[in-house]
Amino acid sequence: MNTFSVAEFRRQFPILQKLNKDSGLIYFDNAATTQKYKAVIKTSQNFYQESNANVHRGSHFLSAKATKSFEIVRLQVQTLINASSEKEIIWTKGTTESINLVAQCYGLSNLKSGDEIVLSQAEHHANIVPWQNLASQTGAVIKVIPLDKCGRIDLVQAEQVITSKCKVLAVNHISNVIGKLNPIKELIALAKNVGAKTLIDGAQSIAHSSIDVKALDCDFYVFSAHKMYGPTGVGVLYGKEQLLEQMPPYQFGGEMIKKVSFTGTTYNSLPHKFEAGTPNIVGVVGLGACLELFSKSLLSDLQAYELSLCEYTYLALSKVLGLKFLVDQQPDIPLFSFTIENVHHHDVATFLDSKGIAVRSGHHCAMPLMELFDLDGSVRVSLAPYNTFAEVDELIKQLQQFSLGENTEKLPVSTQPSADNLTTINQDEILNLFSNAKSWDLKHRQIMLLAKELPRIDKQLRSDNDLVNGCESSAWLKVSINETSHQLSFVADSDAKVIRGLMVIILSVYQHKTAEQIIAFDINAYFSQLGLMQHLSPSRGNGIKAIVERIEQLAATHL
Ligand code: PLP
């Protein structure tokens, strides 16, 4: 019988108590990082207060104590994934570093020109770029396995792609965009048949399934502690001992040596050979504290709860007007990627943020997958077992209202290449609007209303030369000068409504000004008066900076 209580589980995550009480925050960005388990926070603090010393090298009591706390976690992780020996567990700073380590230490000494590295269409950049780098170092070639209709790695197609030229197969266990378990046991078997080595990116699977590396018979399995309720800055590389033995070290320095002289150095044995320098001791100890969540019985309770949450959310999302999932059928973990008809994904995410719901929007570090779908991004909602059905209901309510509002509203489209497409709204009016809008919800509403002041430019009039670099959603900016008054006029547009609104705010101070006035204007002071920047995500903040820089560059050409 499932005795799992979400209320009880939630209490184990202090940030949820606090954020919920202070601002009613609903956290649905768990695939990016999970919230931290109380025991992880407590253990980390206790370690600094009671056991802090460097590990392995100290000749005193405290160092022995710290080393014991640190090394015991290696044994626990060995048990967690059923590795044969603790020598097979290497600490890294995360999945990305684990993959880089394998690409460089295994790949560089074993691959040659013409060999093939096989990936899937749905890899995270962390499982693409290190292999591309290896390919450029060795002359090896990247091959890609397509997905089936439901977004899983297609086994039939895999058989065609994994040939005797394949030397490494590196694929995800669960994609961070699609949320479906891939048939990795079968894929590993295909790779073994042709003598290729296998690396499984378990970043998204480790928190949701039990992993048995012996049963899988993969050569490498990698994951990050921060996606399993543990600390940031710690990751695991599992590798078969025999392979790790053959591989050269990754980085060089202390810890990874046996003996150093100016005539030469001998390296330490496994696992320390791959752990140069002082490791993230408290991170590893913190990871140890979250492993109690992965006991067989609790994990199966968590999985059962997640599944019911997954079914419920999938059905509810399916009913939202204009919502389209990226792939067919319900995901295996509660991770949903979708678009909403006629609305930019950033606008959906910014709207939800203004309602206290944290979701992810963008390419999710999976640009080749977005290319396949012919999208520049999507919305991603990813849940953890501390999320509740009531939170899902709130998400659905907000999405329904948003989609209904957006899909009934028609924006004017300007087909004339006019000097500027902005109705004159000035700085004082903007300041006035924002001084009355105290909360982020109200400010967000103002930005979206202002977006209506910027008629869309006909697609044919948007030129690639006018694209603003550094803005995550496409934004166009064109300038012309009045030869008599020397004032500059801007035409602006963006796919994202939130960016159009922000463009109106920016142009309220730059439109019809001379180049000298534009360069002299203190935009940062203006933004702080509006109280906006602290609410914008780093990527949106950078987008705004990119637009301002572009305006200043354009102005500089007219000085
Ligand atoms: N692989 C997948 C599937 C991921 O989802 C992520 C992170 O989102 C990574 C790799 C990279 O993980 P990290 O940033 O912890 O190194």
Side-chain angles (χ1 to χ4, degrees), residues 217-418:
D217 201 17
C218 54
D219 294 298
F220 302 102
Y221 197 99
V222 297
F223 54 93
S224 304
H226 72 96
K227 295 193 197 276
M228 53 193 293
Y229 321 110
T232 48
V234 176
V236 172
L237 161 63
Y238 156 78
K240 281 188 179 158
E241 186 177 345
Q242 180 209 352
L243 276 174
L244 293 175
E245 284 292 3
Q246 290 164 12
M247 286 157 52
Y250 182 47
Q251 290 181 333
F252 300 81
E255 274 298 287
M256 50 74 67
I257 55 93
K258 233 181 209 131
K259 188 167 184 302
V260 179
S261 79
F262 281 115
T263 53
T265 293
T266 50
Y267 303 131
N268 208 338
S269 48
L270 287 176
H272 309 295
K273 177 171 95 175
F274 291 106
E275 295 174 359
T278 300
N280 183 351
I281 306 168
V282 78
V284 168
V285 173
L287 165 63
C290 72
L291 294 180
E292 66 193 33
L293 295 176
F294 295 85
S295 71
K296 253 202 175 88
S297 63
L298 182 54
L299 185 63
S300 83
D301 282 355
L302 293 177
Q303 282 174 323
Y305 176 72
E306 269 195 347
L307 183 63
S308 56
L309 206 53
C310 185
E311 284 167 359
Y312 184 81
T313 312
Y314 183 69
L315 267 181
L317 283 172
S318 313
K319 292 181 189 145
V320 172
L321 179 75
L323 186 144
K324 201 163 166 280
F325 292 110
L326 263 49
V327 292
D328 290 352
Q329 291 182 2
Q330 182 184 309
D332 297 318
I333 61 169
L335 184 158
F336 311 90
S337 292
F338 55 84
T339 54
I340 292 187
E341 213 176 356
N342 300 327
V343 190
H344 196 278
H345 48 92
H346 284 330
D347 288 336
V348 182
T350 314
F351 168 78
L352 290 174
D353 182 46
S354 77
K355 300 294 174 194
I357 304 175
V359 303
R360 179 61 66 108
S361 70
H363 52 61
H364 316 299
C365 296
M367 279 177 159
L369 183 61
M370 291 298 145
E371 225 171 85
L372 173 78
F373 296 128
D374 197 19
L375 292 172
D376 69 344
S378 69
V379 182
R380 183 183 72 188
V381 169
S382 54
L383 281 63
Y386 40 65
N387 289 126
T388 64
F389 288 84
E391 288 180 317
V392 174
D393 289 343
E394 180 61 21
L395 167 79
I396 302 298
K397 186 181 102 191
Q398 295 297 348
L399 275 177
Q400 290 280 25
Q401 280 175 5
F402 178 71
S403 178
L404 202 65
E406 291 295 313
N407 280 298
T408 46
E409 165 187 292
K410 291 259 177 301
L411 281 179
V413 175
S414 155
T415 49
Q416 298 302 316
S418 56

Side-chain angles (χ1 to χ4, degrees), residues 133-171:
N133 180 42
L134 175 67
S136 72
Q137 290 168 311
T138 58
V141 181
I142 306 271
K143 293 277 163 168
V144 180
I145 316 174
L147 308 179
D148 65 18
K149 229 168 64 146
C150 300
R152 289 193 177 84
I153 301 176
D154 191 319
L155 264 182
V156 179
Q157 307 245 24
E159 273 191 65
Q160 315 298 316
V161 183
I162 303 172
T163 67
S164 58
K165 286 192 177 169
C166 171
K167 294 294 174 267
V168 173
L169 169 76
V171 289

Side-chain angles (χ1 to χ4, degrees), residues 94-96 124 126 176 201 203-204 224 226-227:
T95 305
T96 307
H124 187 282
N176 65 315
D201 173 355
Q204 294 298 338
S224 304
H226 72 96
K227 295 193 197 276

